[in-house]
Amino acid sequence: VQLQASGGGLVQPGGSLILSCSTSGFTLDYFAIGWFRQAPTKGREAVAYIIKRVGRTYYTDLAKDRFTVSRDAAGTTVYLQLASLKPEDPAVYYCAASNIASVDEDDYHYWGQGTLVTVSS
């Protein structure tokens, strides 16, 4: 099982960015792809997840109304669209795979390497 996150970069406050998570090697057991983030000096926090097969999504409070998670038709690439970015959003954003629908990072067994999002004017 492999995941690779990409798409991070520098964006101005209020701007948008689309992160991608390419996945491969999955069995049907690993059906939830979650997005997490970790800012310097802070612990990792959950952002959202998507159930690959049916496209059902869940957002934590930090993501509601600003971020959107989606997948391609084949279910091999998952996206996290970031909008209205704020000064508190800079972090390394990770995608991960779980066999249950969860926002608990301990339920995610496979992780991508992360992609850095910077918000600055």
Side-chain angles (χ1 to χ4, degrees):
V1 175
Q2 293 186 330
L3 303 97
Q4 184 168 352
S6 62
L10 173 63
V11 63
Q12 293 185 341
S16 301
L17 206 58
I18 298 177
L19 308 182
S20 300
C21 177
S22 299
T23 69
S24 63
F26 279 90
T27 68
L28 292 176
D29 289 340
Y30 288 93
F31 64 82
I33 302 297
W35 284 97
F36 296 80
R37 71 182 189 184
Q38 185 166 18
T41 73
K42 294 183 66 176
R44 191 152 51 191
E45 54 186 350
V47 176
Y49 68 73
I50 186 168
I51 306 300
K52 289 174 48 179
R53 182 171 55 85
V54 297
R56 181 169 66 87
T57 58
Y58 177 85
Y59 299 92
T60 63
D61 287 344
L62 71 88
K64 286 178 181 176
D65 300 325
R66 295 195 301 129
F67 299 170
T68 303
V69 61
S70 61
R71 73 196 194 304
D72 65 358
T76 56
T77 302
V78 172
Y79 304 97
L80 181 67
Q81 183 173 355
L82 311 176
S84 303
L85 284 162
K86 302 177 180 179
E88 58 263 36
D89 290 322
V92 177
Y93 284 70
Y94 298 90
C95 58
S98 174
N99 57 357
I100 63 172
S102 172
V103 293
D104 187 340
E105 64 178 286
D106 291 336
D107 291 327
Y108 285 80
H109 305 137
Y110 296 95
W111 292 79
Q113 85 286 4
T115 185
L116 178 64
V117 173
T118 304
V119 180
S120 176
S121 56

